[in-house]
Amino acid sequence: MNIIRQFVKKAIPAVIPPKLYLVHGAVSHIDSEAHANCCTADTGPLKEIAFTFDDGPHPEHTPLLLDVLQKYQQQATFFVIGEKARQYPHLIERIVQEGHELGNHTLTHSEPAQTSTRNFLEEIEQTDQILEQLTGKKVKLVRPPKGKLNLGKLLGLWRQRRTVVLWDIDPRDYLMNDQSEMIDWCQNYHPVSGNFCLMHDNHPYAIEAVRQLSECQHTRLQSHTVSHWIENKTQHSTRTQQACA
Ligand SMILES: [Zn+2]
């Protein structure tokens, strides 16, 4: 199964349009820029990435995270759990008002291996309805819990023209016990333009990560929403097709 998952994660993005499946935002994942160490390299170019936050909203951590994103003018995508969105509607409204994007992370975050395709798609649909009621907009982006999908779930999402969004950078903040672990991670992170960085706003450490990465002296880091990257990739492939025609 692991081999199949690896194949899906690496091979599918090469042939599937970014509007259907996305692991990162780079046109080519091999970034030719030097992988400068964030805080020790000499002046480097602007690195553009996507901060993505899963499993919220959380009544304590999400407002602090939004504060720090606003302070540093970073745009992010929040893959929210439907039940929590219903519980904290003011946080969903604030996420949207402050220019961030929402994604669907199912209604209850049920364990993928124990969730049938039918139940999974129902959870997606129910979360959609909650988010649409709160924001007046349809949410197209979906991140399955743990990034795990089977073929039936994937095809079910594609039938509804949804974009499956995974990630290529994972600091594993949910396993951290201390803020210093996140500071260490940030100092060793080599940002590559197009990275989709997975963090969690039901844990406190993403807040420090945004602060650390935004205050880095030598690498300017700018986060965009996932939709920005979809647009970017789509435009690039259109230009490439035109050039080859
Ligand atoms: Zn999750």
Side-chain angles (χ1 to χ4, degrees), residues 87-122:
Q87 206 175 347
Y88 307 109
H90 62 290
L91 292 175
I92 298 298
E93 285 159 14
R94 190 176 159 197
I95 286 168
V96 173
Q97 275 166 8
E98 295 184 4
H100 307 295
E101 185 165 34
L102 285 173
N104 187 326
H105 199 41
T106 73
L107 185 70
T108 65
H109 206 280
S110 55
E111 172 59 39
Q114 287 157 16
T115 307
S116 67
T117 297
R118 189 178 158 178
N119 286 350
F120 170 78
L121 293 172
E122 275 175 10

Side-chain angles (χ1 to χ4, degrees), residues 2-237:
N2 205 25
I3 293 169
I4 295 172
R5 281 189 61 211
Q6 289 300 321
F7 170 78
V8 166
K9 203 161 180 175
K10 287 187 177 166
I12 283 186
V15 290
I16 301 293
K19 279 188 180 170
L20 291 180
Y21 192 93
L22 214 56
V23 176
H24 56 77
V27 173
S28 160
H29 202 196
I30 301 160
D31 193 316
S32 58
E33 297 166 19
H35 289 202
N37 184 306
C38 179
C39 290
T40 58
D42 292 334
T43 50
L46 174 69
K47 303 284 184 176
E48 296 176 90
I49 66 164
F51 285 134
T52 68
F53 303 108
D54 289 10
D55 297 0
H58 183 279
E60 190 183 334
H61 307 316
T62 306
L64 294 174
L65 180 60
L66 286 166
D67 288 348
V68 81
L69 288 167
Q70 193 171 47
K71 178 177 176 185
Y72 295 107
Q73 299 283 295
Q74 304 284 12
Q75 249 75 59
T77 303
F78 289 78
F79 290 91
V80 299
I81 296 173
E83 279 186 341
K84 293 188 183 178
R86 191 157 50 197
Q87 206 175 347
Y88 307 109
H90 62 290
L91 292 175
I92 298 298
E93 285 159 14
R94 190 176 159 197
I95 286 168
V96 173
Q97 275 166 8
E98 295 184 4
H100 307 295
E101 185 165 34
L102 285 173
N104 187 326
H105 199 41
T106 73
L107 185 70
T108 65
H109 206 280
S110 55
E111 172 59 39
Q114 287 157 16
T115 307
S116 67
T117 297
R118 189 178 158 178
N119 286 350
F120 170 78
L121 293 172
E122 275 175 10
E123 286 210 20
I124 293 290
E125 180 62 38
Q126 287 167 302
T127 303
D128 256 6
Q129 288 170 8
I130 293 166
L131 295 180
E132 198 174 342
Q133 273 172 10
L134 291 173
T135 67
K137 287 184 184 166
K138 284 197 184 297
V139 168
K140 285 276 184 192
L141 307 180
V142 170
R143 177 171 281 165
K146 301 184 178 177
K148 290 185 178 173
L149 285 173
N150 61 25
L151 192 60
K153 292 174 185 176
L154 183 63
L155 293 177
L157 293 173
W158 284 350
R159 222 170 279 132
Q160 299 170 0
R161 307 296 294 170
R162 296 175 187 273
T163 308
V164 175
V165 183
L166 299 182
W167 60 88
D168 61 344
I169 299 294
D170 179 5
R172 296 162 76 88
D173 57 337
Y174 51 93
L175 294 178
M176 290 178 179
N177 298 307
D178 192 281
Q179 192 157 286
S180 65
E181 289 182 50
M182 183 53 95
I183 294 171
D184 283 350
W185 182 85
C186 289
Q187 287 178 347
N188 288 297
Y189 169 44
H190 307 274
V192 174
S193 287
N195 279 161
F196 281 8
C197 184
L198 166 69
M199 291 187 274
H200 298 80
D201 55 326
N202 63 331
H203 290 270
Y205 306 114
I207 300 162
E208 186 59 25
V210 172
R211 188 180 296 125
Q212 287 284 323
L213 297 172
S214 302
E215 283 192 350
C216 175
Q217 296 290 311
H218 302 294
T219 302
R220 285 183 302 134
L221 197 83
Q222 179 65 54
S223 171
H224 301 287
T225 61
V226 166
S227 283
H228 164 95
W229 287 106
I230 294 173
E231 189 67 21
N232 195 46
K233 274 196 155 186
T234 307
Q235 280 178 2
H236 181 272
S237 63

